[in-house]
Amino acid sequence: MEQSIQTHITNEASNGNLGLTRKSRPNKAGSLNNIYRNIFDPNKYMLKLPKTKKVQLTNGQIKWEKIETDYLPVAARIAWFRKDHPDWSIITKAVQ
């Protein structure tokens, strides 16, 4: 994440009119703006998938109930990983 800033640094060897301009620099890792901007919200991508659950009644009978479970798709999990760890990588290997 880069923050746009401009700083003017004068060259002490000259008359002070010549300067260098730095247009951007990375945010500090601990800055609050960086922390709040990088929070990934998995609830935005969460899906509800149908699932059947086996329930045993007190009389010994078995009953199947339909419930919904939360599922975070792989694309969202990879996006989350990349947002939290931009310097890390995922290494895959083909297996036959």
Side-chain angles (χ1 to χ4, degrees):
M1 186 69 52
E2 289 193 357
Q3 175 182 1
S4 234
I5 61 164
Q6 288 198 0
T7 56
H8 188 71
I9 303 168
T10 58
N11 188 349
E12 294 179 12
S14 69
N15 60 5
N17 294 334
L18 180 65
L20 304 173
T21 303
R22 189 177 350 168
K23 292 190 177 188
S24 64
R25 68 176 167 84
N27 279 340
K28 292 180 181 176
S31 74
L32 291 178
N33 288 339
N34 195 23
I35 291 171
Y36 290 123
R37 195 175 299 140
N38 284 336
I39 293 177
F40 183 84
D41 184 15
N43 293 321
K44 288 172 40 178
Y45 306 97
M46 198 69 67
L47 301 176
K48 296 283 187 184
L49 295 181
K51 184 178 179 181
T52 54
K53 181 180 176 183
K54 183 178 178 180
V55 178
Q56 188 164 3
L57 302 175
T58 55
N59 61 4
Q61 292 181 332
I62 296 174
K63 179 182 174 183
W64 294 90
E65 291 182 355
K66 289 187 179 183
I67 60 171
E68 289 184 337
T69 59
D70 291 332
Y71 177 75
L72 187 62
V74 175
R77 285 185 256 161
I78 291 173
W80 191 359
F81 171 79
R82 297 213 185 278
K83 186 124 181 139
D84 284 353
H85 307 287
D87 297 337
W88 293 13
S89 62
I90 300 171
I91 301 172
T92 60
K93 185 175 169 182
V95 178
Q96 292 184 352

